[in-house]
RNA sequence: GGCGAGGUAGCUCAGUGGUAGAGCAGGGGACUCAUAAGCCCUUGGCCGGCGGUUCAAACCCGCCCCUCGCCA
């Protein structure tokens, strides 16, 4: 049955470059899952964008002497570049700084307010009299009231590691100009999560049996132990989305409330760009559609609790306010397959200490598929994983090159030489030929089940295992002997092997799109396996923003075994992957921390 | 402090009640189509610790230790 699948991918903060930990945490698994479902023939939409608001961006702008807008544009462009090079096939990668997102986010706010899930409350916050503005917690420094450290930030003390109540800092000073701030009253809106608790508990319990244990148990456990309480969703800032209430024009929606709304607004923007403004409803108003949220474990509460609370809270009021269609509720998350973290050579990744492998930097020296392969084979699906350069090189050489790449090369070069670039006609297949093809066929079911349940690492292992089975089959048949005495027998073996390879191409394609596309062309197909990515500029009243898109066009092949025909021509094979000198592992390791 | 996840072969990880598994690394072998790749055989583990339930525990229960995340 054809299904609408929405792949909702974490929104990167546009204040730092993306590293391999970010990639394996959410962006890569999302893309693999999207490609798998496209091959399944489902209606897939994969959306995300740059989180362009929030304190990290204003902090970066203040440090650089630039504006938040410039900071977000700079990193956003680098994201688009990286995602294209890495083959992350977003149907739309946009940003939160668009007129459309402002409107959708403000509508969500208004809908929640109308439903009675918002209340206003006054709190005290540090105010800079010299700059005439309220200071975000991390803009205030002072003495830690727990350990006495003199340079603690308002939100956290770097010496004792405790999270702090900014208002209790001793000897506070503004990070901006060193002046002494004063506490002033300020009023903010709160999302009444307490009132939404029973809806959230029901929502989680319905999904208890198939969600990953760390996601479901943490969310449910925390709620049942402590109950949900209201959270402030507005801030005294200039950069961001204005609160759509009279008298509140100077305040902004808090990013954690606003950014998750991007999943909805990006789908709406995608529909408008596609030429049919109503299309987004096929995913958001369709109770049969499935929405998957690919995120890292640090984001679990926002996607398993807070965002579902926003969605359940608005009910049909979002539609009523947005385009006067009050017949539908918004679809709640189907699954939140959050990944754990990736460490770097045994230590935590740290951007500031350069203990990190940057995505663009990596791709300046290596191809995308080896990275995708290594990160998937080692994906932190159940626990933290570790990036080791040595392991990257050995997995590339022993698995990608030796098992899969060499299988393709040994079969196709032999075939090309002996049958002059045409696939041999096997006549009737022998039992051993049928047997290996059946193993492959069962692989579609087995790997398909694993992909479907978002066990990407296991799906890849299974596929690599099948490549091993084909290598065994070839060694058993030994077509290089067969051809000396009985060319027809060798033809049966090679035909069978080519079909197996052509099938494995489909099974590997979600993880290894570039090399599978290359193999696909070598085998003589006209239409590509996947469509193309491209960028486009979009104008609105907030300015111009560049987006990443995915072209819709004719593609070949679905999730089923090869039916490639005898006699059809194919090209001389070129290696799919390059072997790496083991020394590069040391070279790369020595770059870390410098 | 509260809520969780993880701790299994040298390394990376599967395995949730019935005689410990895979890949890589290590050792040995036969072959040559292939990127000296692939194939066959093989060494290697008191399954974090201590108790408990059971005819039977890596798996269930309790306590403890270590790593990581979230919340306060």
């Amino acid at each position: 049955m054809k299904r609408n699948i929405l792949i909702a991918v974490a929104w990167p903060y546009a204040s730092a470059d993306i590293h391999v930990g970010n990639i394996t945490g959410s962006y890569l698994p999302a893309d693999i899952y999207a490609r798998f479902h496209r091959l399944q023939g489902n209606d897939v939409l994969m959306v995300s964008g740059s989180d362009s608001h929030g304190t990290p961006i204003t902090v970066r702008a203040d440090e650089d002497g630039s504006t938040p807008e410039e900071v977000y544009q700079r990193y956003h462009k680098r994201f688009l570049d990286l995602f294209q090079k890495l083959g992350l096939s977003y149907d739309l990668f946009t940003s939160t700084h668009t007129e459309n997102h402002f409107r959708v986010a403000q509508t969500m706010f208004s809908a929640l307010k109308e439903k009675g899930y918002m209340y206003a409350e006054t709190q005290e916050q540090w105010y800079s009299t010299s700059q005439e503005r309220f200071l975000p917690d991390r803009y205030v420094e002072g003495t830690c009231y727990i350990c006495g450290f003199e340079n603690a930030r308002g939100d956290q003390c770097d010496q004792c590691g405790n999270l702090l109540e900014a208002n209790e800092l001793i000897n506070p000073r503004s990070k901006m100009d060193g002046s002494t701030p004063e506490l002033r009253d300020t009023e903010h809106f709160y999302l009444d999560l307490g009132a939404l608790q029973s809806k959230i508990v029901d929502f989680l319990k319905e999904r208890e049996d198939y969600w990953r244990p760390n996601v479901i148990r943490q969310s449910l456990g925390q709620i049942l132990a402590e109950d949900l309480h209201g959270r402030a969703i507005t801030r005294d800032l200039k950069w961001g989305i204005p609160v759509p209430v009279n008298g509140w024009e100077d305040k902004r929606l808090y990013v954690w409330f606003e950014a998750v709304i991007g999943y909805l607004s990006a789908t709406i923007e995608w529909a408008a760009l596609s030429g049919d403004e109503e299309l987004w409803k096929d995913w958001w108003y369709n109770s049969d559609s499935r929405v998957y949220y690919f995120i890292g474990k640090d984001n679990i509460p926002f996607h398993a609790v807070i965002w579902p609370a926003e969605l359940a809270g608005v009910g049909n009021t979002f539609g009523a306010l947005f385009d006067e269609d009050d017949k539908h509720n918004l679809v709640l998350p189907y699954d939140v397959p959050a990944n754990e973290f990736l460490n770097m050579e045994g230590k935590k990744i740290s951007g500031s200490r350069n203990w990190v492998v940057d995505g663009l930097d990596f791709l300046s020296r290596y191809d995308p598929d080896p990275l995708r392969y290594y990160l998937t084979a080692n994906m932190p699906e159940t626990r933290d994983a570790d990036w080791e350069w040595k392991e990257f090189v050995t997995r590339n050489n022993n698995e990608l090159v030796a098992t899969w790449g060499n299988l393709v090369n040994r079969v196709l070069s032999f075939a090309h030489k002996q049958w002059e670039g045409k696939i041999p006609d096997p006549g009737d297949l022998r039992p051993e030929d049928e047997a290996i093809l059946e193993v492959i066929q069962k692989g579609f079911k087995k790997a398909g089940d694993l992909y479907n349940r978002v066990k990407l690492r296991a799906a890849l292992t299974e596929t690599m295992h099948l490549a091993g089975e084909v290598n065994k089959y070839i060694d058993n048949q030994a077509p290089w002997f067969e051809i000396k005495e009985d060319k027809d027998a060798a033809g049966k073996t090679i035909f069978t092997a080519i079909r197996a390879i052509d099938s494995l191409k489909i099974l590997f394609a979600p993880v290894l799109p570039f090399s599978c596309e290359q193999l696909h062309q070598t085998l003589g197909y006209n239409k590509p396996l996947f469509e193309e990515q491209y960028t486009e500029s979009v104008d609105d009243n907030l300015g111009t923003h560049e987006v990443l898109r995915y072209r819709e066009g004719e593609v070949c092949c679905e999730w089923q075994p090869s039916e490639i025909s005898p006699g059809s021509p194919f090209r001389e094979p070129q290696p799919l992957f390059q072997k790496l000198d083991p020394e590069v592992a040391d070279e790369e390791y020595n770059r870390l921390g410098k």
Side-chain angles (χ1 to χ4, degrees):
Chain A
M1 187 188 88
K2 205 168 171 179
R3 210 182 257 286
N4 285 79
I5 308 264
L6 183 66
I7 313 285
V9 196
W11 290 57
Y13 256 131
S15 62
D17 282 322
I18 287 173
H19 55 65
V20 290
N22 307 136
I23 293 169
T24 199
S26 51
Y27 314 132
L28 177 59
D31 179 66
I32 292 169
Y33 203 64
R35 289 180 188 272
F36 167 70
H37 275 292
R38 290 194 187 106
L39 288 167
Q40 289 273 315
N42 287 318
D43 277 330
V44 175
L45 211 53
M46 171 167 158
V47 296
S48 183
S50 291
D51 186 346
S52 52
H53 302 138
T55 319
I57 287 163
T58 56
V59 169
R60 175 54 66 105
D62 289 335
E63 283 170 3
D64 296 357
S66 60
T67 66
E69 170 124 29
E70 283 167 354
V71 168
Y72 123 70
Q73 290 279 8
R74 183 164 76 235
Y75 286 101
H76 179 67
K77 284 208 171 75
R78 294 169 66 81
F79 294 167
L80 297 182
D81 186 25
L82 172 65
F83 291 166
Q84 257 184 303
K85 286 178 174 154
L86 197 54
L88 300 187
S89 55
Y90 291 95
D91 288 275
L92 181 67
F93 185 88
T94 177
S95 97
T96 55
H97 202 64
T98 71
E99 220 181 328
N100 171 70
H101 178 69
F102 275 46
R103 182 179 163 228
V104 175
Q106 289 175 334
T107 305
M108 281 294 284
F109 174 93
S110 302
L112 283 163
K113 188 160 168 286
E114 191 170 314
K115 296 284 279 185
Y117 292 122
M118 297 279 199
Y119 59 93
E121 214 169 82
T122 300
Q123 59 178 210
E124 285 189 319
Q125 199 169 352
W126 293 114
Y127 182 86
S128 164
T129 47
S130 59
Q131 291 193 306
E132 299 185 334
R133 61 187 259 196
F134 282 97
L135 296 170
D137 292 348
R138 68 173 72 188
Y139 275 55
V140 184
E141 290 179 339
T143 302
C144 174
Y145 54 85
I146 295 174
C147 73
F149 180 55
E150 290 182 3
N151 293 312
R153 289 201 322 249
D155 55 341
Q156 186 175 359
C157 174
D158 285 335
Q159 180 161 291
C160 65
N162 283 296
L163 300 181
L164 304 180
E165 285 298 323
N167 295 1
E168 294 174 30
L169 272 187
I170 302 162
N171 296 326
R173 59 188 180 276
S174 164
K175 204 175 169 182
M176 308 299 300
D177 57 9
S179 64
T180 303
E182 59 183 48
L183 283 173
R184 282 199 188 175
D185 281 351
T186 178
E187 197 178 18
H188 285 294
F189 274 107
Y190 284 67
L191 178 62
D192 193 353
L193 289 165
L196 287 158
Q197 176 161 326
S198 64
K199 284 181 199 276
I200 296 309
V201 169
D202 289 348
F203 158 79
L204 290 170
K205 285 195 165 158
E206 280 167 23
R207 288 151 177 79
E208 204 169 1
D209 57 334
Y210 66 91
W211 279 24
R212 291 185 182 173
N214 57 341
V215 180
I216 189 71
R217 295 210 192 129
Q218 190 202 134
S219 308
L220 213 43
Q222 187 77 30
I223 294 173
L224 298 177
E226 297 186 4
D227 288 338
L228 291 169
H229 48 272
R231 284 183 70 140
I233 61 155
T234 56
R235 301 296 275 165
D236 291 293
L237 281 175
K238 292 202 172 81
W239 177 245
I241 302 179
V243 177
V245 175
N246 285 337
W248 287 71
E249 291 81 2
D250 288 343
K251 301 187 191 250
R252 298 291 177 265
L253 298 179
Y254 211 154
V255 276
W256 66 256
F257 171 80
E258 167 247 297
V260 286
I261 298 171
Y263 301 117
L264 175 59
S265 68
T267 317
I268 292 172
E269 184 181 352
W270 170 85
L273 289 172
S274 79
D276 181 349
E277 290 191 353
E278 301 286 302
L279 267 184
W280 64 274
K281 298 179 179 178
D282 289 351
W283 283 270
W284 285 97
Y285 283 171
N286 172 0
S287 56
D288 284 333
S289 79
R290 287 184 178 173
V291 188
Y292 291 81
Y293 293 83
F294 285 87
I295 57 163
K297 67 171 158 180
D298 51 333
N299 252 326
I300 290 172
F302 294 107
H303 292 78
V305 177
I306 293 174
W307 175 231
E310 292 182 33
L311 289 168
V314 297
N316 63 346
T317 309
F318 175 81
L321 297 181
F322 188 74
D323 60 0
E324 297 179 349
D325 176 355
D326 63 359
K327 292 182 188 58
H328 308 278
N329 292 332
L330 294 167
V331 168
L332 298 176
Y334 178 77
D335 197 1
V336 183
N339 275 344
E340 304 288 300
F341 284 168
L342 184 71
N343 292 316
M344 177 60 51
E345 302 282 359
K347 286 189 270 185
K348 242 189 226 192
I349 288 180
S350 161
S352 57
R353 271 168 293 189
N354 201 33
W355 195 259
V356 67
V357 175
D358 176 78
L360 280 171
D361 181 55
F362 179 98
L363 291 175
S364 70
R365 293 191 291 286
Y366 308 100
D367 290 331
D369 276 357
L371 177 64
R372 295 174 62 113
Y373 178 77
Y374 175 52
L375 289 178
T376 307
N378 195 24
M379 197 165 264
E381 289 177 343
T382 56
R383 67 177 104 173
D384 289 355
D386 194 29
W387 171 291
E388 287 181 57
W389 276 106
K390 229 172 220 162
E391 194 195 356
F392 166 70
V393 172
T394 56
R395 278 189 183 270
N396 178 76
N397 291 353
N398 296 335
E399 299 173 27
L400 209 46
V401 174
T403 303
W404 168 230
N406 183 59
L407 168 64
V408 171
N409 200 44
R410 70 192 295 207
V411 169
L412 293 187
S413 53
F414 187 80
H416 201 269
K417 217 174 294 167
Q418 303 291 347
W419 282 271
E420 287 141 11
K422 299 244 170 70
I423 292 170
D425 188 340
D428 291 334
L429 293 180
R430 301 158 298 190
E432 57 267 38
D433 308 325
E434 304 279 12
I436 185 68
L437 291 178
E438 200 185 322
V439 168
I440 299 287
Q441 186 180 345
K442 284 184 180 155
F444 275 86
K445 175 85 173 67
K446 208 167 168 184
D449 278 349
L450 291 167
Y451 273 119
N452 200 31
R453 287 185 287 146
V454 210
K455 297 188 169 224
L456 309 182
R457 175 180 190 146
L460 179 59
T461 303
E462 173 61 22
T463 308
M464 196 50 90
H465 172 74
L466 290 174
E469 291 298 311
V470 179
N471 271 320
K472 279 177 206 170
Y473 162 80
I474 290 168
D475 277 283
N476 288 338
Q477 298 307 119
W480 49 92
F481 283 144
E482 289 180 316
I483 200 153
K484 288 177 186 159
E485 292 171 9
D486 181 356
K487 189 164 182 181
D488 283 350
K492 291 180 199 290
T493 301
I494 291 302
F495 172 81
T496 303
I498 290 177
R499 276 222 164 156
I501 286 169
D502 195 30
S503 295
L504 285 170
K505 171 197 79 185
I506 302 288
L507 295 174
F508 273 122
V511 178
L512 307 173
F514 294 97
S515 50
C516 287
E517 197 77 69
Q518 183 191 325
L519 171 58
H520 185 68
Q521 283 175 22
T522 300
L523 288 170
Y525 288 92
N526 295 320
K527 292 184 208 156
L529 269 180
F530 294 110
E531 292 125 279
E532 285 172 6
Q533 299 164 265
Y534 62 102
T535 57
E536 187 177 315
S537 285
V538 180
D539 292 314
D540 67 19
N541 286 331
L542 289 173
T544 300
H545 67 285
E546 212 174 324
V547 299
L548 183 61
R549 297 186 63 190
Y550 187 71
R551 199 180 307 281
E552 294 192 50
E554 276 199 74
V555 291
C556 159
C557 306
E558 291 207 346
W559 193 259
Q560 54 199 5
S562 163
E563 291 179 3
I564 199 164
S565 329
S568 58
F570 64 98
R571 296 177 201 165
E572 195 173 351
Q574 299 298 317
L576 294 179
F577 311 103
Q578 300 303 320
K579 230 183 145 169
L580 295 171
D581 187 326
E583 278 181 21
V584 308
D586 294 328
E587 285 168 24
E588 293 289 354
Y589 182 86
N590 290 329
R591 283 176 205 262
L592 291 172
K594 301 233 168 98

